[in-house]
């Protein structure tokens, strides 16, 4: 994760932390009512893994890594001033200083304890579904740049995919990120043509996109075929940010309408 991420001048860890912080900020805004209330439309957790597995949000732990979204804003570590490129309205860009809430910092080391991380998520999701049996099923998004170093994560991913609420089974999505600039795979519907066994494993661990997410991916100009799965391989930074947006959209009978209209 210390290597440069394709298409950026920052490390994979730094770019990914920026993407996660943006998604968390957006989640809080979407669930806000404009009168200092943030409604608990969903719960969120961030599990980090390298040589050890950690729960990254303040106020959480390995045994209880999920927070209701109303508490996410209070769980931020700090607010930083960052330089951001902004359109100038005339086809160019300029740099401006903006404030950005920080929940997750860039951290990297040499191991990939994916099995342990999935097992931690499995317990949390089983407990959550037992407490919220009528809710939309949970979504697990796994982001990795390396092969699991503590065994085969396929079995625990399969178990997670069978966790369910009355509305359906849990979704497992996988994103492989790389410093390479070619050979990417986006939302495949078959394992044919995968470059190696690891890519095939991640594909098999990934759930098919529900219709609303497939539609969202299509709206971003992705070629979505029947049976497309929530899987990116050798993804660049822009694709990962778009995937996080697609994978964290509120999937309800009214889509985002329930949140954005305040219904």
């Amino acid at each position: 994760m210390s290597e440069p991420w394709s298409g950026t001048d920052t490390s994979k860890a730094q770019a990914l932390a920026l993407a996660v912080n943006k998604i968390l900020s957006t989640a809080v805004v979407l669930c806000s009512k404009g009168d200092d209330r943030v409604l608990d439309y969903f719960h969120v957790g961030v599990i980090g893994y390298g040589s050890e597995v950690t729960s990254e949000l303040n106020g959480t732990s390995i045994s209880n890594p999920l927070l209701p979204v109303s508490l996410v804003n209070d769980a931020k570590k700090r607010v930083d001033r960052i330089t951001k490129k902004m359109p100038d309205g005339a086809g160019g860009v300029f740099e401006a200083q903006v404030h950005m809430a920080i929940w997750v910092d860039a951290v990297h080391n040499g191991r990939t304890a994916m099995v342990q991380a999935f097992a931690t998520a499995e317990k949390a999701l089983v407990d959550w579904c037992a407490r919220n049996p009528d809710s939309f099923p949970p979504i697990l998004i796994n982001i990795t740049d390396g092969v699991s170093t503590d065994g085969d994560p396929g079995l625990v991913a399969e178990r997670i995919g069978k966790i369910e609420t009355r509305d359906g089974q849990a979704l497992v999505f996988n994103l492989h990120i790389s410093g390479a600039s070619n050979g990417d795979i986006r939302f495949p519907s078959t394992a044919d043509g995968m470059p190696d066994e690891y890519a095939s494993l991640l594909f098999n661990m990934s759930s098919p996109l529900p219709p609303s997410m497939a539609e969202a991916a299509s709206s971003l100009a992705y070629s979505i075929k029947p049976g497309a799965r929530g899987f990116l391989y050798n993804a660049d930074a822009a694709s990962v940010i778009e995937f996080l947006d697609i994978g964290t959209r509120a999937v309800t009978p009214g889509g985002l309408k329930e949140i954005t209209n305040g219904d």
Side-chain angles (χ1 to χ4, degrees):
M1 294 292 284
S2 62
E3 299 172 348
W5 198 352
S6 175
T8 75
D9 57 0
T10 60
S11 72
K12 288 182 282 188
Q14 291 170 324
L16 182 57
L18 178 63
V20 172
N21 286 321
K22 285 182 177 179
I23 289 294
L24 291 174
S25 180
T26 299
V28 173
V29 171
L30 284 176
C31 295
S32 298
K33 284 295 184 179
D35 55 1
D36 295 328
R37 288 184 302 152
V38 179
L39 300 188
D40 288 330
Y41 287 105
F42 53 86
H43 291 66
V44 62
V46 180
I47 296 172
Y49 61 96
S51 59
E52 60 180 359
V53 176
T54 56
S55 185
E56 293 297 314
L57 295 182
N58 285 338
T60 67
S61 64
I62 286 296
S63 60
N64 187 22
L66 300 179
L67 277 182
V69 70
S70 61
L71 298 182
V72 169
N73 190 54
D74 293 336
K76 61 180 178 289
K77 294 180 178 179
R78 62 188 182 277
V79 177
D80 285 351
R81 288 180 63 86
I82 65 171
T83 301
K84 183 177 181 180
K85 292 182 179 179
M86 308 282 286
D88 63 6
V93 296
F94 67 96
E95 292 187 346
Q97 292 289 311
V98 298
H99 290 93
M100 182 170 185
I102 303 296
W103 287 270
V104 176
D105 286 309
V107 178
H108 52 79
N109 56 49
R111 297 185 61 78
T112 311
M114 194 181 300
V115 174
Q116 186 183 350
F118 268 68
T120 299
E122 178 187 19
K123 181 181 184 304
L125 298 183
V126 167
D127 293 344
W128 186 89
C129 287
R131 295 193 305 270
N132 301 274
D134 296 318
S135 296
F136 185 84
I139 302 169
L140 172 65
I141 301 177
N142 175 48
I143 306 174
T144 179
D145 74 336
V147 178
S148 173
T149 57
D150 63 346
D152 181 359
L155 292 177
V156 64
E158 182 179 358
R159 293 198 305 268
I160 291 173
K162 294 179 180 178
I163 299 170
E164 60 184 358
T165 64
R166 295 188 182 97
D167 198 34
Q169 294 181 318
L171 300 172
V172 179
F173 298 151
N174 288 279
L175 289 83
H176 174 270
I177 60 177
S178 171
S181 58
N182 53 26
D184 61 308
I185 299 172
R186 306 179 183 188
F187 303 109
S189 57
T190 174
D192 294 345
M194 293 294 166
D196 52 45
E197 292 182 1
Y198 180 57
S200 296
L201 172 64
L202 290 176
F203 171 82
N204 290 327
M205 288 166 54
S206 302
S207 303
L209 291 173
S212 59
M213 291 188 186
E215 182 180 353
S218 295
S219 72
L220 294 172
Y222 289 101
S223 177
I224 303 298
K225 298 180 180 179
R229 298 197 181 194
F231 172 51
L232 299 183
Y233 189 81
N234 200 21
D236 60 18
S239 296
V240 170
I241 291 172
E242 288 180 343
F243 187 99
L244 289 174
D245 177 46
I246 293 167
T248 54
R249 292 190 182 204
V251 185
T252 64
L256 282 174
K257 181 179 179 181
E258 289 191 16
I259 290 179
T260 56
N261 287 0
D263 295 337

